[in-house]
């Protein structure tokens, strides 16, 4: 804490904004220590322009239209056809929609924004990557010195010797662009932190329906927005035996902003399967028993109670949406 308030954490949020990605954006906008410098968009969960709209709508509902630029990035994986998760997320926003004001989305490409911001502030800015890793891999390919300029990389992806979610072997973000993920893990970034699907999200990033309903009834526009964002995914998750609303992306950002939420983590060597079709995107996570040089810290346990208490505080914030959002009662 400084005399001027808490020390703020600068970062770029790289996202495929649908459902919990938008919750992560809310953390980026409203958490007192968050200093979100840019939102960069990557192909992932739902249609690219739906994702852009979902991000813009999240800025609007929080009354933070001018908070930071939104940049369109890579619209497909490095070498593969795009695979969506619209069966899980619908349109990613529960049918809400909004007209994006002219000029709200930057004309600078996401990869160039990453390169420029880290050149202006070398060693200061972290990346929080909550979608496929295509933009980050493209930045590495375009300018190798990018790697040295990034403070840390927080990644939502993979499972730690556990279940996948898009296939039995693979978690969605790594499955969509496994080549990009492998480039990022091999790049030599100084401090890579991984928040996994299984077991971490399924245990510590999971909000049981009874608790979910308490949050959705807080009575604020943000709480109503949250319900619209998450209802579809909650119904999907319950239909496949996941007992609650899943929050992997917002948990990833929260771990950067509030490191005390990380209760346990260990060094691992992480590699992502690129050659097998059967296990495409599988994250091979070798712990210290094996003779491999670690390239990441994998979060093994998080303080779920403290994380969801933060989410509750955030959704309790009274905001007046800056623009009309169709489908949201305010
Ligand atoms: C990840 O995939 C997406 O559907 C979510 O936004 C999250 O980033 C979970 O596998
Ligand atoms: Ca995501």
């Amino acid at each position: 804490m400084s005399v001027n308030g808490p020390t703020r954490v600068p970062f770029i949020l790289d996202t495929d904004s649908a459902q919990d990605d938008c919750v992560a954006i809310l953390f980026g906008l409203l958490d007192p220590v968050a200093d979100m410098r840019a939102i960069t968009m990557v192909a992932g969960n739902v249609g690219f322009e739906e994702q852009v709209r979902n991000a813009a709508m999240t800025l609007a509902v929080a009354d933070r239209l001018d908070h930071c630029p939104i940049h369109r990035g890579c619209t497909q994986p490095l070498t593969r056809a795009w695979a969506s998760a619209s069966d899980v997320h619908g349109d990613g926003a529960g049918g809400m929609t909004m007209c994006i004001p002219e000029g709200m989305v930057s004309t600078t490409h996401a990869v160039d924004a990453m390169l420029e911001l880290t050149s202006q502030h070398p060693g200061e800015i972290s990346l929080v990557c909550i979608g496929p890793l295509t933009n980050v891999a493209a930045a590495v390919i375009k300018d190798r010195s990018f790697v040295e300029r990034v403070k840390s990389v927080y990644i939502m992806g993979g499972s730690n010797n556990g279940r996948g979610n898009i296939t039995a072997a693979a978690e969605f973000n790594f499955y969509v662009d496994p080549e990009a993920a492998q480039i990022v893990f091999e790049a030599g970034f100084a401090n890579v932190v991984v928040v996994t699907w299984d077991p971490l999200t399924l245990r510590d990033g999971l909000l049981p329906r009874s608790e979910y309903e308490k949050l959705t009834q807080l009575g604020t526009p943000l709480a109503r927005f949250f319900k619209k964002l998450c209802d579809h995914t909650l119904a999907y998750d319950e239909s496949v035996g996941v007992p609650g609303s899943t929050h992997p992306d917002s948990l990833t950002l929260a771990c950067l902003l509030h490191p005390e939420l990380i209760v346990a983590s260990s060094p691992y060597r992480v590699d992502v399967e690129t050659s097998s079709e059967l296990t495409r995107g599988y994250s091979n996570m070798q712990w210290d028993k094996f003779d491999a040089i670690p390239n990441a810290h994998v979060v093994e346990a998080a303080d779920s109670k403290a994380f969801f208490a933060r989410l509750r505080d955030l959704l309790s914030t009274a905001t007046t949406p800056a623009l009309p959002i169709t489908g949201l009662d305010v």
Side-chain angles (χ1 to χ4, degrees), residues 21 45 89 130 156 165 171-173 197 248-249:
D21 289 79
N45 280 323
H89 300 300
I130 56 176
M156 191 286 126
N165 54 12
E171 176 282 330
F172 178 77
N173 290 339
W197 178 254
D249 301 321

Side-chain angles (χ1 to χ4, degrees), residues 26-162:
L26 287 178
F27 269 94
L29 296 171
L30 299 171
D31 189 292
V33 307
D35 179 7
M36 186 163 61
R37 300 284 174 92
I39 296 170
T40 55
M41 204 64 58
V42 67
N45 280 323
V46 297
F48 203 86
E49 290 307 316
E50 285 177 324
Q51 295 182 167
V52 175
R53 179 208 58 201
N54 295 345
M57 222 156 46
T58 308
L59 265 59
V61 74
D63 195 14
R64 297 285 192 279
L65 276 191
D66 299 323
H67 184 96
C68 69
I70 298 173
H71 301 271
R72 290 187 175 88
C74 298
T75 55
Q76 61 181 67
L78 292 182
T79 64
R80 315 250 181 180
W82 167 58
S84 96
S86 53
D87 56 334
V88 179
H89 300 300
D91 65 359
M96 292 181 289
T97 190
M98 185 188 90
C99 291
I100 303 180
E102 182 129 5
M104 187 174 174
V105 181
S106 169
T107 51
T108 304
H109 192 276
V111 171
D112 294 320
M114 285 181 179
L115 295 176
E116 282 165 22
L117 280 167
T118 56
S119 293
Q120 288 157 7
H121 308 280
E124 289 177 22
I125 298 182
S126 294
L127 303 177
V128 179
C129 310
I130 56 176
L133 285 161
T134 319
N135 285 339
V136 184
V140 172
I141 292 166
K142 190 165 182 189
D143 176 0
R144 196 78 217 175
S145 68
F146 172 64
V147 172
E148 275 81 54
R149 300 201 298 271
V150 171
K151 182 168 189 197
S152 60
V153 187
Y154 279 60
I155 295 172
M156 191 286 126
S159 283
N160 186 355
N161 296 288

Side-chain angles (χ1 to χ4, degrees), residues 289-309:
K289 166 183 173 13
F290 301 100
D291 201 13
I293 298 169
N295 58 359
H297 277 84
V298 177
V299 180
E300 296 169 322
D303 186 341
S304 187
K305 219 169 139 201
F307 167 59
F308 285 118

